[in-house]
Amino acid sequence: MKTDPMNKPEAAGRLPVLAQAVAAPLTRAAIFLVATLNPGSENRATLRSFCGDLAALVRAVEFRDLEGSLSCVVGFGSDAWDRLFGQPRPAELHVFREIHSGARHAVSTPGDLLFHIRAKRMDLCFELATQIMARLGNAVSPADEVQGFRYFDDRDLIGFVDGTENPRGAAVADAVLIGDEDADFAGGSYVIVQKYLHDLGAWNALSTEAQERIIGRTKLSDIELDDSVKPTSAHNALTTIVENGKEVKILRDNMPFGRPAHGEFGTYFIGYSRSPRTVEQMIENMFIGRPPGNYDRLLDFSRAVTGSLFFVPSATFLENVTEDPTQLAAAESPAAPAVAETPSSIPPVREGSLGIGSLKGDTRHE
């Protein structure tokens, strides 16, 4: 059976499903655009119509530079899914779970739509974002917009390489694309985003050795510290998730961002996974600790200012969305039955962890 990182393998008697560009190659520029859906049936109709138009918008902008590697992934928040599509709904989609632990706070912020736009050139990203917002018009309101960039040799603004161990090849699909466990949404994915701001003054006051113990890797060569010297609170230790003796991978495409004149220096964490539980466990480990109290010391220098969970349906799903007034009415009806969340191994805790995902993360950076 043939497998492609952008597609789920064809099951018996079932046509293959085309995934969105979740596994697109890393680029030098990105825009992360989060918006909320405004009330009103006309706005829901605009959004549903837009689903089928997105691919054409991407192609139109992409044609200006066919070697620019332009791509766009769109995801939907839990509330927006109910308003736009109704039943069925992705089995593990829910509002991002806020976490409090001491002075550490993984906030949950509004977000109905996520656009993850990538290209080798920022002007391509900018043009596509402009066209998307023009197409959506008054149907949405912007909640957050971040322009990310690659920093030297794929380093974060704190000076460490951000990403070394993402899955490769066919392993990407296994890590991030839903299969038979939720057959109605095969080829889809979950994505969690968090925007972190760093206190670079305090961080740079640390010795290189102290920074390396916090991250769990050497700063210059990006070699993982040996377990004999690496603290159990190291960032890459707490964000490594093992189930049944096997590490569970996610796909990261973190980007630095900032405004030096305003003293703003940050990392935009974005993690795709087959189940949101994996990233949620990372965040819990970071903010609460494993065991509790053994938290990620990077959080002493970084704070999360946003946090949202989205479902990324397949490209095939988007192409088949229509302006069905019956479905739109059902989605907004107050009599529609509530959908219980699928039980998760992660309770709706009030304590937590830094979702920069593992700074050891992404082999595509190599």
Side-chain angles (χ1 to χ4, degrees):
M1 182 178 295
K2 185 177 180 181
T3 303
D4 185 310
M6 296 301 294
N7 296 275
K8 297 302 292 180
E10 182 177 354
R14 187 186 306 161
L15 293 176
V17 174
L18 179 65
Q20 290 195 63
V22 171
L26 288 188
T27 56
R28 302 301 302 177
I31 291 180
F32 306 93
L33 180 60
V34 176
T36 55
L37 173 60
N38 292 330
S41 58
E42 69 282 4
N43 294 327
R44 290 191 298 276
T46 296
L47 256 294
R48 288 178 60 88
S49 175
F50 170 83
C51 289
D53 294 343
L54 177 59
L57 276 180
V58 175
R59 289 194 298 269
V61 178
E62 176 189 40
F63 195 72
R64 302 187 183 191
D65 181 358
L66 294 176
E67 297 181 353
S69 300
L70 178 67
S71 67
C72 178
V73 171
V74 59
F76 300 89
S78 179
D79 294 341
W81 186 277
D82 292 339
R83 295 168 63 191
L84 289 168
F85 309 120
Q87 297 293 333
R89 57 179 275 133
E92 295 187 83
L93 180 58
H94 55 262
V95 175
F96 181 82
R97 291 166 178 156
E98 186 174 17
I99 296 174
H100 283 278
S101 183
R104 301 173 300 281
H105 185 194
V107 298
S108 178
T109 50
D112 291 328
L113 297 164
L114 167 70
F115 295 99
H116 181 197
I117 304 171
R118 289 173 278 186
K120 293 179 179 179
R121 299 165 42 181
M122 178 53 75
D123 57 347
L124 288 173
C125 296
F126 184 88
E127 178 63 18
L128 181 56
T130 300
Q131 294 296 334
I132 287 172
M133 294 307 295
R135 173 67 175 78
L136 294 176
N138 295 327
V140 302
S141 296
D144 190 38
E145 180 179 356
V146 172
Q147 296 188 8
F149 55 89
R150 291 286 164 222
Y151 190 58
F152 294 113
D153 50 337
D154 294 328
R155 293 182 183 268
D156 194 281
L157 296 183
I158 63 175
F160 285 77
V161 174
D162 190 353
T164 341
E165 297 187 4
N166 267 5
R168 302 185 184 191
V172 175
D174 293 335
V176 303
L177 298 184
I178 293 168
D180 291 339
E181 71 272 21
D182 193 5
D184 285 339
F185 298 102
S189 185
Y190 294 91
V191 61
I192 286 178
V193 297
Q194 290 180 295
K195 183 166 74 173
Y196 285 88
L197 297 180
H198 309 311
D199 183 348
L200 282 192
W203 175 258
N204 290 331
L206 297 177
S207 67
T208 297
E209 292 74 16
Q211 292 178 355
E212 290 175 340
R213 288 193 295 271
I214 291 173
I215 299 302
R217 304 185 77 88
T218 57
K219 191 169 186 178
L220 179 62
S221 60
D222 189 38
I223 302 299
E224 186 170 357
L225 298 183
D226 188 86
D227 288 343
S228 62
V229 297
K230 180 170 63 177
T232 56
S233 62
H235 180 74
N236 64 356
L238 292 173
T239 55
T240 297
I241 306 299
V242 178
E243 293 181 359
N244 301 318
K246 182 180 178 181
E247 183 178 352
V248 182
K249 296 282 190 177
I250 69 169
L251 190 65
R252 303 169 180 85
D253 200 354
N254 300 352
M255 280 274 197
F257 68 91
R259 296 186 300 166
H262 293 80
E264 180 180 277
F265 304 92
T267 296
Y268 200 95
F269 164 72
I270 180 166
Y272 292 95
S273 58
R274 188 167 181 161
S275 166
R277 289 173 293 164
T278 305
V279 182
E280 289 171 330
Q281 186 65 66
M282 292 178 177
I283 296 172
E284 181 180 342
N285 291 349
M286 292 173 64
F287 282 81
I288 298 176
R290 186 176 62 190
N294 190 48
Y295 69 91
D296 188 343
R297 267 52 182 182
L298 184 54
L299 292 176
D300 293 339
F301 306 90
S302 299
R303 61 187 177 92
V305 294
T306 69
S308 301
L309 165 64
F310 302 91
F311 179 72
V312 176
S314 69
T316 304
F317 177 95
L318 293 177
E319 291 171 359
N320 289 312
V321 173
T322 62
E323 292 184 41
D324 181 350
T326 302
Q327 187 170 355
L328 286 171
E332 75 169 335
S333 172
V339 180
E341 281 185 13
T342 300
S344 169
S345 60
I346 303 174
V349 292
R350 290 179 56 86
E351 313 199 35
S353 140
L354 169 69
I356 291 183
S358 176
L359 287 174
K360 74 185 213 178
D362 192 336
T363 47
R364 296 177 301 153
H365 286 253
E366 297 179 337

